[in-house]
Amino acid sequence: MSSMENEKRMRWLDMARGVALLFVMIGHCISSKSVLHHVLFTFHVPFFFVISGYLYRYKKNSFLKDMVQLAVPYMIVVACVMISTKIMGETSYYGNLRNVIKAALLGSGVKHNGILPIGAVWFFPTMYFARRYMDIVFVIAKKELHRMFMVAAFVLAGIVLASKKVWLPLNVDVAMAAVLFMYTGYLLKQKQFRLNIITAVVAFCVWLAEFSCGRFNLGTRKYGLWCVTFAGAIAASILLIELCIYMEKGKMLGILNRFLAFTGRHTVALLCIHDLDWRMPFPVWGAGIAAKMSAFPYQRLITTIRRISYDYAILLIFLLVVHVIRICVRKVRGAV
């Protein structure tokens, strides 16, 4: 593959990650009882895993790279939450450091058995262990059929644990179920699968079937009729991939494409900022103001725009600081 083709491939993949993250951020701002919330949760997190699987390539020391990309940001967020909790004391969300540690070890996005949620960064340990399961599959199984059986075994184990209400630390059980989405992404790349009109209609119908089956939430282990919900999430992910490829070719969507690609390139940093923006010991994104606007018909819309805009502003400041630091480091090295 030429460098130009590789650049184009990476552009639409960045756009896909950007779309997924925007859906995650919007999903955290709107009412959990709304239809839009239901729609987003049918595919937005699985879509991340499908994209990750599309980029997956087994390497012996990949766990070290993943430690830097996933474990380190997770620990940084936990450290920030601990500092915030220490400053705010009993008035903080967690109340004390012990509750923060418990939340970090469980790694859940929702409250479970009295342990408070760690927030949106539950995704980081889940992705880390999902990649480790993929490594195990590719180390042990050399034939595609054998890999499929191993993936099925992991997925069924995750579903059984969820049915028994067994939540393992750091979402190890959720990662088992997520392997299916990663492996699907891997197969899509290997087979160079593309939709035509007939397969697109079939995929849309499968997604509609998932939507009608009730709530599906990977983070809370609510799989519903899993054979339908998992298939629907995969179908929706394939449709979104096709949409991003189509958008990447559209010259009229240049600004939107660049914005989505920018978001996709900085998903880890932006997700960390998004997770921390409601935990700070000082008011941010006007949450207090929005809470007083109960009579305003578009309160949630205003709050959503305010919060997402705040997250992007902090990201830009962070990137600027990093850029300045790099320039200073280069100058110091040059002087030496």
Side-chain angles (χ1 to χ4, degrees), residues 15 23 62 66 78 112 138 152 156 163 182 191 209 278 294 322:
M15 289 169 56
F23 284 156
S62 60
D66 290 340
V78 171
H112 177 67
F138 278 77
L156 289 174
S163 67
M182 284 197 68
K191 305 301 181 182
W278 61 277
S294 57
V322 171

Side-chain angles (χ1 to χ4, degrees), residues 27-309:
H28 291 160
C29 297
I30 61 179
S31 172
S32 60
K33 298 179 180 180
S34 66
V35 175
L36 179 58
H37 188 275
H38 185 185
V39 170
L40 295 179
F41 272 75
T42 59
F43 63 82
H44 67 348
V45 173
F47 186 40
F48 263 119
F49 288 99
V50 171
I51 294 300
S52 180
Y54 198 94
L55 295 170
Y56 177 81
R57 184 179 179 183
Y58 172 71
K59 294 180 181 179
K60 288 185 177 180
N61 297 322
S62 60
F63 72 95
L64 295 175
K65 182 180 179 181
D66 290 340
M67 285 286 288
V68 175
Q69 293 182 342
L70 297 170
V72 171
Y74 185 75
M75 290 186 287
I76 290 174
V77 170
V78 171
C80 291
V81 172
M82 293 179 74
I83 294 172
S84 175
T85 301
K86 187 66 176 178
I87 293 173
M88 298 177 68
E90 294 183 356
T91 60
S92 67
Y93 176 75
Y94 291 98
N96 55 64
L97 295 181
R98 179 179 295 180
N99 289 335
V100 178
I101 295 173
K102 288 181 179 179
L105 291 176
L106 181 62
S108 173
V110 295
K111 187 176 181 179
H112 177 67
N113 285 344
I115 301 178
L116 295 172
I118 196 60
V121 289
W122 71 269
F123 173 80
F124 291 150
T126 310
M127 177 63 78
Y128 180 84
F129 285 109
R131 289 180 180 176
R132 300 293 69 77
Y133 293 144
M134 285 285 286
D135 289 344
I136 293 172
V137 169
F138 278 77
V139 167
I140 297 177
K142 302 305 178 183
K143 295 183 177 180
E144 213 63 70
L145 181 61
H146 297 164
R147 289 172 181 169
M148 290 180 182
F149 278 118
M150 288 193 66
V151 169
F154 275 124
V155 174
L156 289 174
I159 292 172
V160 170
L161 288 171
S163 67
K164 302 294 184 182
K165 301 188 183 302
V166 177
W167 290 32
L168 299 180
L170 297 175
N171 305 311
V172 171
D173 56 306
V174 179
M176 293 178 182
V179 170
L180 176 62
F181 302 116
M182 284 197 68
Y183 188 68
T184 298
Y186 165 80
L187 288 179
L188 289 175
K189 180 183 178 182
Q190 295 303 311
K191 305 301 181 182
Q192 293 295 305
F193 180 79
R194 294 296 302 275
L195 291 175
N196 54 38
I197 296 177
I198 296 176
T199 53
V201 171
V202 171
F204 184 73
C205 291
V206 173
W207 173 74
L208 283 180
E210 178 204 1
F211 180 78
S212 64
C213 280
R215 301 280 173 171
F216 170 65
N217 192 324
L218 197 63
T220 59
R221 286 82 165 170
K222 292 181 179 179
Y223 303 146
L225 187 59
W226 61 269
C227 55
V228 177
T229 55
F230 279 56
I234 290 172
S237 297
I238 294 174
L239 287 169
L240 280 173
I241 287 174
E242 202 70 30
L243 176 63
C244 290
I245 293 174
Y246 178 79
M247 289 176 60
E248 195 274 333
K249 297 177 181 178
K251 296 181 180 180
M252 298 297 292
L253 300 173
I255 296 178
L256 176 60
N257 290 351
R258 287 194 291 271
F259 169 72
L260 293 175
F262 170 81
T263 302
R265 289 192 297 271
H266 302 289
T267 50
V268 172
L270 194 53
L271 185 60
C272 290
I273 293 169
H274 177 72
D275 185 73
L276 288 169
D277 64 11
W278 61 277
R279 307 168 189 264
M280 294 297 98
F282 47 83
V284 295
W285 54 268
I289 297 175
K292 298 176 182 179
M293 298 169 60
S294 57
F296 195 70
Y298 303 108
Q299 174 190 343
R300 286 197 177 273
L301 176 61
I302 298 297
T303 304
T304 300
I305 295 173
R306 190 193 302 269
R307 182 178 183 183
I308 293 177
S309 299

